[in-house]
Amino acid sequence: MEEQEKIEELSLTDKIVETFKNKTEEYSKTLNAENFHYEELYLKGKKENGKAFAMSVLEFKDFFLKINYRVHAPMLLPSSTLEMRILFKGGKFPVEYSIYDLLNIIDETNFICYTIPYITTEELMEQALAHLMDCFNIYKLQIEELFHDKEKFAILEENIETQIQKTIGGKVFESGSIEYMIRMLEVYYLFDTSKFTTEIYTEEVLTGKYKKAVKHYKKKGEKATIYESRLAEFLWQRKEEYSFIPENLHTNKVVKKYQKVGIKGTFLSGLAFFILMPLWTFAYGLIYALTHFKISEGSLYMTNSEYPLLIIAGFVTAIVNMYFVRKILAKITYGTRFEEYNRIDAIQNPASTNNNMSKFFQFVIAAGIAVAMLTANTYIKFNENNIIVNTDILQINGTEIPYTMVDSVYKTEKIKGFKEYVEVDNYVIVLKDNTKIELYMYMTNEEFEQYVLPILNKKEIEIKNIDLLENIPKVEDKEVVE
């Protein structure tokens, strides 16, 4: 009773892990295992990140039965994947054999799937374990006999050595380093397990698209494992559908339903995005406006520039924000099926993913605020006694230019485009050191003539006309009067 109450207090993932632990321990007793060992690993080694892996080891006279539950697997594998492996107490290599490796020797007629991904409930975990244990019960005696049959066991070892070399390359067992060998074998186990979670297997073999599966397995050529080659031959000769997996454990079919968003989901996602993007852009625009107002205090006129960056900042923030509204959208999209979606989401997005996304979202918002403030701080400001030019977005303080440094202002008739000149007026401030400040990127001609021209006229700065920027003559050396 206390144990049941304890499970009810746990998160969904923890409940499934707890069920895995309790049920495998029960099986160790019913199967008369000599010993039982249970172990858990956490994401990045930290308990607060959530469980990454759980393993139960049942020890028998000649071998260990390892039942692996990959709670949150690497990218190669789906989350919440259950499988089993055999480690013999002797032999040439300290390798964990998959049940498929053993079937190559002890039963070439069995092609049932014993790799179950996307376990989303305690009940599913119990059913998946029962499926694996039924298989183990059937073949337990044959596994023991295989270990004592020197000829067959030698074939098994030769097969695994060849398979490891094909999968990860190199001679793992000749490295001389135990640490290296263990690390490389772990990589191999991931690749080996993934062969039963790939599209070829889940979308073609398990769904009856045998001809397509055979075609893809044939393309693998020598890289195909012995089991895959046997499976391709079996599928090629198959005239009727084979029951590879019990319907209640065909979890890929369930998950696929939720991977297809559909018209309704697509519409809601698009609607949410096009609501969030203007909201974030407006928020950044408000920060921009307040910053611009503060910086422009005391000036006669200050330009606005680079504000399209606010739209980009709003766009990026809205994309990240979509992660946090996905469940609201799913609830509307799936209705009564939302709980099933929520369970799938829980196993695919552990606490560490949510924490990382929260931190990333905070970073994106902070970056958006910084962009808004830096954008507002990009300007040309006309004061009573000087012009301050700050056209570099990463520059905090601008360059002060006294009006006495200005030689003249030219109005050009054309500006140079990508390939040819374009007839667009461009006002250019020319300093006495021949520095040119083109104004067309920072203000319109109307803004210049309405706000800036009166200031320059007051300072008795001459306005001249010329055809091209390149034809503006150099300013002769003049003494600058401060």
Side-chain angles (χ1 to χ4, degrees), residues 402-420:
Y403 286 109
T404 53
M405 279 290 294
V406 178
D407 177 77
S408 54
V409 174
Y410 281 87
K411 181 182 181 182
T412 65
E413 297 174 358
K414 298 178 182 179
I415 61 171
K416 194 170 186 179
F418 289 107
K419 292 183 179 179
E420 56 187 19

Side-chain angles (χ1 to χ4, degrees), residues 20-29 32-39 55-60 64-65 67:
F20 169 80
K21 178 185 176 183
N22 295 337
K23 293 303 292 184
T24 50
E25 193 166 10
E26 282 179 25
Y27 280 116
S28 75
K29 293 171 183 175
N32 297 316
E34 294 179 2
N35 285 300
F36 174 79
H37 172 73
Y38 176 78
E39 187 177 342
M55 173 185 70
S56 291
V57 182
L58 284 65
E59 183 180 358
F60 297 91
F64 297 95
L65 170 63
I67 309 170

Side-chain angles (χ1 to χ4, degrees), residues 443-457:
M443 66 183 82
T444 64
N445 289 340
E446 289 74 16
E447 287 173 330
F448 175 85
E449 289 163 3
Q450 183 176 353
Y451 301 109
V452 179
L453 189 56
I455 300 170
L456 299 178
N457 287 335

Side-chain angles (χ1 to χ4, degrees), residues 327-359:
K327 288 192 177 182
I328 298 171
L329 299 178
K331 200 161 190 176
I332 300 169
T333 303
Y334 300 117
T336 55
R337 293 187 295 136
F338 173 70
E339 284 306 317
E340 192 172 38
Y341 163 86
N342 202 29
R343 288 194 296 270
I344 294 169
D345 183 82
I347 65 169
Q348 291 181 320
N349 296 297
S352 59
T353 300
N354 293 324
N355 291 338
N356 290 337
M357 284 301 296
S358 294
K359 290 174 184 176

